[in-house]
Amino acid sequence: MTGYLLRRLVQSLIVVVLVAILTFTLLQMLPGGPTRAILGPKATQQQIDTFKQQNGYDKPVVVQFFHWAGGVLHGDLGYSYKLNQPVTDVIAEHLPKTLVLMALSTAVALVLAVPIGVYQARKRDTLGDYTVTGLSFAFYAMPSFFLGELLILLFAIELHWFSPAGPNGNTLGEIFSQAPSLILPVATLALITVASFSRYVRSSVMENLSQDYVRTALAGGASDGQVMVRHVLRNSLIPIVTLLGLTLPQLFAGALITEQVFNYPGMGFIFVQGAQVHDYPILLGIGLVVAVATVVGSLLADIGYAVLDPRVKY
């Protein structure tokens, strides 16, 4: 177990470093470089030269990267010249709001996907199975911005049930105080995610239903419901642990667009705003945080799967 964890930690660290190098390099390729992106197109050459000297942008790219990486190791992700505050403070303020959105949408998706997947497995190759499969593929293929706009048109503009904008506030308390405004953003992410989860649950339940232990339990007098709850469902949900970790990038990407559609002040919203105004430090800092979160999620999923399933060898 210890050796397995060490190997995975080393692999995760290598991935994070490679992602940081790639992100840093790509942002260096912005038109005019990061200095021009930060100061804007109207900056004079003298202003650009002065800014480069003051902030180390006149040094080679490799030196700049190691200077930035050294700051990261000390908890310094840079300074947003557009927002006029440290990137660490910006992320600390907006990341919890994105995590709330992702956690709620994931929980809703799981609550819906498990019974849907079980129903499809038990009613496979029937009209109900085909209907749910068609709807699942439709939601899975639907862009989050398009689904969000549809929900706004239907439930906010036509029916006037919910607000077309997400909750706004500087704290989580203010966000939760506007809970009804969370419904449409959460529904947008959940409906896209539930399609993926339900397909995995369906396949896993079908595989477990064909196992010998199911026939043995039924022959021993257990009812269909008891076998499904005590044996099949419990074993079928193990792969979902891995799926949760692997869907983190998809959730972050969906949250990025969804927050913009609903004007929700999370980290995705700040990232889009930073991209529009070429806020180089914000883009670099958020990109690194997402990379770390994705790698950690994958690592936890692998460990969880190995712990829950005794058939997995470290």
Side-chain angles (χ1 to χ4, degrees), residues 186-233:
V186 168
T188 300
L189 281 179
L191 287 174
I192 295 175
T193 309
V194 71
S196 174
F197 286 173
S198 63
R199 297 300 298 170
Y200 275 89
V201 173
R202 177 184 184 274
S203 300
S204 185
V205 170
M206 288 176 58
E207 179 183 355
N208 280 276
L209 284 174
S210 64
Q211 298 298 315
D212 292 337
Y213 73 85
V214 174
R215 290 189 288 270
T216 301
L218 291 173
S223 65
D224 288 344
Q226 290 174 330
V227 172
M228 181 62 66
V229 173
R230 295 181 181 178
H231 304 288
V232 174
L233 187 58

Side-chain angles (χ1 to χ4, degrees), residues 65-289:
F65 173 78
F66 280 105
H67 176 74
W68 173 79
V72 170
L73 294 177
H74 290 86
D76 180 11
L77 295 178
Y79 190 86
S80 172
Y81 302 96
K82 302 294 184 179
L83 299 176
N84 196 30
Q85 61 182 129
V87 175
T88 306
D89 293 346
V90 175
I91 293 176
E93 178 183 350
H94 296 277
L95 178 58
K97 302 170 188 176
T98 296
L99 294 179
V100 167
L101 180 62
M102 292 174 57
L104 290 176
S105 62
T106 302
V108 172
L110 286 174
V111 169
L112 295 175
V114 172
I116 290 175
V118 172
Y119 169 81
Q120 287 186 272
R122 301 194 68 175
K123 302 292 183 180
R124 59 184 179 275
D125 299 330
T126 63
L127 178 60
D129 181 27
Y130 293 144
T131 301
V132 175
T133 299
L135 290 174
S136 297
F137 283 141
F139 282 119
Y140 185 74
M142 194 175 296
S144 57
F145 71 88
F146 181 69
L147 178 58
E149 294 289 349
L150 286 180
L151 294 180
I152 290 174
L153 287 174
L154 177 60
F155 294 104
I157 297 178
E158 294 294 333
L159 300 176
H160 303 286
W161 287 1
F162 307 111
S163 170
N168 284 276
N170 295 323
T171 65
L172 291 181
E174 294 176 352
I175 295 294
F176 282 115
S177 67
Q178 308 168 50
S181 299
L182 275 170
I183 293 177
L184 291 186
V186 168
T188 300
L189 281 179
L191 287 174
I192 295 175
T193 309
V194 71
S196 174
F197 286 173
S198 63
R199 297 300 298 170
Y200 275 89
V201 173
R202 177 184 184 274
S203 300
S204 185
V205 170
M206 288 176 58
E207 179 183 355
N208 280 276
L209 284 174
S210 64
Q211 298 298 315
D212 292 337
Y213 73 85
V214 174
R215 290 189 288 270
T216 301
L218 291 173
S223 65
D224 288 344
Q226 290 174 330
V227 172
M228 181 62 66
V229 173
R230 295 181 181 178
H231 304 288
V232 174
L233 187 58
R234 183 177 179 179
N235 292 328
S236 299
L237 293 181
I238 293 178
I240 300 299
V241 175
T242 301
L243 185 62
L244 286 173
L246 296 178
T247 53
L248 267 178
Q250 178 183 347
L251 286 171
F252 268 112
L256 186 148
I257 303 300
T258 302
E259 289 177 4
Q260 186 69 16
V261 170
F262 291 96
N263 198 34
Y264 180 79
M267 198 169 65
F269 180 81
I270 295 299
F271 184 87
V272 173
Q273 296 295 317
Q276 291 175 344
V277 298
H278 304 293
D279 196 339
Y280 173 79
I282 285 288
L283 300 181
L284 192 56
I286 293 180
L288 179 65
V289 170

